[in-house]
Amino acid sequence: MGIFDGVLIASDLDGTLLGENHELSRENRSALEFYMSQGGKFAVATGRSRAGAECLKPWEFSNAPAVLSNGGLIFDYAGDSALFTDMLSPATRAAAKDIAREFPGAGLEVHVAQGKYIINSNPAIASHMAYVRCTGAVVPSLDAVAEGWIKVLFVDEPELVAEIGAWAGERYGDAASLVFSNEYMLEIQNKGTDKGSGVRWLAELLGIDPANVYTAGDAGNDLEMMLAFESFAPENASDEIKAAANHPLPSCDRHAIAAMIAFLKERYGGSQKL
């Protein structure tokens, strides 16, 4: 038996596990290998779509299914299968379409099970595609997306995204999940679908006590999982996330997850070196 048997860590990718270069540091990789060798389960919990996450090859540094699209998709890379998919309800889809009609020029991305679609491509979307190292099929409107929608993102300049968020919040804030993942992106999903619900579902699937679940994140779409479980925030996290977290970490460029595992190693009584 290992010291981390029955423990689950769920970590955001960008800005938490990965540094500014979007690569896993040697220190984080070594710490994760030790953690998993001692029985711990490690899962990524990201807003990225399946396609956006796959370019980072998370199966190389995790041993639990991934929480993707902010909890809209739980995907088992080992078995190459979706374990849970939360399609947008008819009401949430209708809300997204109504918002798009009100702001017809706004850039849009739509996550589906296999990838994503892009409407009204713009510099903010191009920057986002470069950041996540993937792209999507360009279509003329939301009506052209026939596959099951998992998440809709409005991606544009901060002033417009803030205006969209205010307008949508007044009309649909009680009926849908509206989250600013950063100043360029407003994410729309079913009410109650978020990283917190995704990690909770994964812990139940793995038979792990919620008291032994730990989360780490840096941005607005991490908030629910930070509040749902004992949580850690890197130094580069937003003020909101640092306030919500139970423990501080070094920045993502200073191997935050290695520091998190070292902290938990002390808690669980391991004498081995990382």
Side-chain angles (χ1 to χ4, degrees):
M1 293 181 64
I3 63 169
F4 291 122
D5 283 344
V7 175
L8 171 64
I9 293 175
S11 171
D12 174 55
L13 284 173
D14 305 293
T16 304
L17 175 64
L18 307 179
E20 291 299 320
N21 60 4
H22 306 295
E23 294 181 1
L24 183 67
S25 71
R26 180 180 62 186
E27 291 82 355
N28 279 342
R29 185 179 294 275
S30 177
L32 283 169
E33 288 173 352
F34 170 79
Y35 167 79
M36 292 187 290
S37 75
Q38 290 294 313
K41 294 292 186 181
F42 182 79
V44 300
T46 178
R48 286 177 179 249
S49 66
R50 178 182 166 188
E54 282 181 352
C55 67
L56 300 172
K57 300 180 180 179
W59 53 85
E60 293 185 352
F61 52 81
S62 63
N63 61 353
V67 178
L68 305 173
S69 296
N70 289 341
L73 176 65
I74 312 294
F75 193 81
D76 179 15
Y77 286 107
D80 192 30
S81 62
L83 305 180
F84 171 79
T85 305
D86 186 54
M87 303 297 185
L88 295 194
S89 70
T92 307
R93 284 179 64 137
K97 287 185 174 183
D98 189 30
I99 300 165
R101 280 191 295 269
E102 183 68 19
F103 299 91
L108 286 163
E109 297 177 20
V110 183
H111 287 196
V112 298
Q114 297 298 326
K116 67 172 66 177
Y117 291 88
I118 297 170
I119 298 122
N120 296 335
S121 186
N122 60 32
I125 287 179
S127 177
H128 185 220
M129 293 299 98
Y131 183 84
V132 299
R133 301 179 184 178
C134 78
T135 188
V138 177
V139 294
S141 70
L142 287 175
D143 290 329
V145 183
E147 296 181 64
W149 303 5
I150 293 175
K151 181 171 74 167
V152 174
L153 298 85
F154 286 85
V155 185
D156 218 300
E157 292 304 309
E159 295 81 4
L160 179 57
V161 171
E163 183 182 352
I164 294 169
W167 189 91
E170 289 182 1
R171 292 157 180 80
Y172 300 110
D174 293 334
S177 172
L178 307 172
V179 175
F180 292 97
S181 48
N182 60 46
E183 62 181 350
Y184 292 91
M185 290 191 289
L186 175 67
E187 308 190 4
I188 300 178
Q189 292 180 269
N190 291 327
K191 197 74 171 179
T193 298
D194 50 55
K195 290 188 185 182
S197 64
V199 174
R200 192 177 299 111
W201 189 94
L202 179 59
E204 184 176 341
L205 175 73
L206 297 173
I208 293 178
D209 188 326
N212 291 322
V213 177
Y214 304 92
T215 60
D218 71 303
N221 60 342
D222 297 313
L223 181 62
E224 286 78 10
M225 75 171 181
M226 307 292 281
L227 295 173
F229 304 98
E230 190 168 345
S231 56
F232 296 73
E235 186 179 0
N236 55 280
S238 70
D239 290 342
E240 176 187 41
I241 294 300
K242 285 191 280 192
N246 301 105
H247 309 283
L249 292 172
S251 75
C252 62
D253 285 317
R254 292 174 51 226
H255 328 300
I257 297 303
M260 179 181 180
I261 291 171
F263 177 96
L264 293 175
K265 178 176 171 288
E266 292 298 315
R267 172 173 293 184
Y268 285 90
S271 58
Q272 304 94 326
K273 291 184 178 180
L274 289 179

